[in-house]
Amino acid sequence: KQEVTQIPAALSVPEGENLVLNCSFTDSAIYNLQWFRQDPGKGLTSLLLIQSSQREQTSGRLNASLDKSSGRSTLYIAASQPGDSATYLCAVRDGGTYKYIFGTGTRLKVLA
Amino acid sequence: DVKVTQSSRYLVKRTGEKVFLECVQDMDHENMFWYRQDPGLGLRLIYFSYDVKMKEKGDIPEGYSVSREKKERFSLILESASTNQTSMYLCASSGDGGGERFGPGTRLTVT
């Protein structure tokens, strides 16, 4: 059964730092992996989607990588800003299924 | 701008009431999902649908049912609301090869 883990659970950094959020999954036979952002009391906003055949995706200051063989993905945020403060979740869709399995998230606080 | 909409942002219901949560997507997606999100428990899948009139149970279907009569609309029904169903409910949709898009969520309180 697929399990998704995110470490650390919470992270506090000063503004301007580059940072890495980690996501690991137990079964490498995935269809795709998605990173989301969630602000308090709101829905999830899709940040990046990486298909199983891809190694990375970039959007602005965000870069997500995928290493299926090791069961890992990282979300890199460059030059962090207070507006980046949110909870970041990764989710994995297994091959042959429509369902996504979510990690429990990393709560990020960027200090001004 | 493509989107997923949910009928209410906040809802307060009494124990025993029948509750309907509506979700509509305008992306012609085949797949639609209902999750609940609780502190410390993360997102848990209640039901999903991969086609009109098709549905499958997720991880926590007890106390819930769903309806998908049209491709764009997926309804979650609480047959007899209970206090342990107080939660944030999130709807999502996805198409083939694409990722999930989420609605803004409905915070349901059952008193």
Side-chain angles (χ1 to χ4, degrees), chain B:
Chain B
D1 188 24
V2 293
K3 59 172 68 171
V4 178
T5 57
Q6 295 183 227
S7 50
S8 305
R9 288 285 286 121
Y10 301 94
L11 209 51
V12 179
K13 295 292 181 180
R14 294 192 182 276
T15 301
E17 277 193 78
K18 191 168 186 176
V19 182
F20 294 86
L21 303 183
E22 302 280 338
C23 176
V24 178
Q25 50 96 3
D26 64 3
M27 295 165 281
D28 202 34
H29 282 168
E30 295 82 12
N31 312 312
M32 296 188 75
F33 307 82
W34 275 106
Y35 297 88
R36 64 177 283 178
Q37 186 178 33
D38 301 285
L41 296 176
L43 270 83
R44 293 181 290 169
L45 181 65
I46 304 171
Y47 267 98
F48 70 101
S49 168
Y50 52 89
D51 201 351
V52 175
K53 296 190 188 293
M54 305 303 289
K55 61 186 179 186
E56 281 200 25
K57 294 179 181 179
D59 301 317
I60 51 163
E62 296 78 20
Y64 303 95
S65 63
V66 291
S67 172
R68 193 165 180 202
E69 296 296 318
K70 293 185 177 181
K71 190 175 186 179
E72 67 270 18
R73 188 180 298 269
F74 191 36
S75 302
L76 179 69
I77 303 153
L78 286 66
E79 297 291 343
S80 177
S82 64
T83 55
N84 63 13
Q85 292 179 310
T86 291
S87 186
M88 171 71 109
Y89 289 87
L90 293 163
C91 175
S93 70
S94 72
D96 277 346
E100 286 200 336
R101 294 284 190 100
F102 277 80
T106 296
R107 184 164 293 283
L108 172 67
T109 302
V110 183
T111 62

Side-chain angles (χ1 to χ4, degrees), chain A residues 31-34 48-54 57 93-94 97-98 100, chain B residues 29-31 93-100:
Chain A
Y31 186 77
N32 60 37
L33 182 145
Q34 197 168 0
L48 290 164
L49 172 70
I50 310 177
Q51 302 293 346
S52 63
S53 58
Q54 297 174 323
Q57 282 286 339
R93 177 177 165 182
D94 286 336
T97 179
Y98 303 105
Y100 278 84
Chain B
H29 282 168
E30 295 82 12
N31 312 312
S93 70
S94 72
D96 277 346
E100 286 200 336

Side-chain angles (χ1 to χ4, degrees), chain A residues 29-109:
Chain A
I30 66 170
Y31 186 77
N32 60 37
L33 182 145
Q34 197 168 0
W35 282 94
F36 295 89
R37 168 189 173 132
Q38 186 176 31
D39 294 290
K42 303 286 179 64
L44 278 66
T45 300
S46 178
L47 297 174
L48 290 164
L49 172 70
I50 310 177
Q51 302 293 346
S52 63
S53 58
Q54 297 174 323
R55 297 282 295 183
E56 65 178 344
Q57 282 286 339
T58 298
S59 176
R61 294 182 294 108
L62 305 179
N63 175 277
S65 68
L66 174 64
D67 183 345
K68 279 200 312 178
S69 60
S70 66
R72 295 173 67 177
S73 176
T74 60
L75 179 66
Y76 175 82
I77 303 176
S80 59
Q81 303 170 357
D84 295 329
S85 299
T87 296
Y88 291 82
L89 297 108
C90 74
V92 164
R93 177 177 165 182
D94 286 336
T97 179
Y98 303 105
K99 298 194 296 184
Y100 278 84
I101 309 298
F102 283 81
T104 49
T106 294
R107 192 167 64 254
L108 173 67
K109 182 177 273 191

Side-chain angles (χ1 to χ4, degrees), chain A residues 18-41:
Chain A
N18 302 324
L19 57 101
V20 174
L21 307 182
N22 296 295
C23 173
S24 60
F25 47 95
T26 54
D27 187 341
S28 62
I30 66 170
Y31 186 77
N32 60 37
L33 182 145
Q34 197 168 0
W35 282 94
F36 295 89
R37 168 189 173 132
Q38 186 176 31
D39 294 290

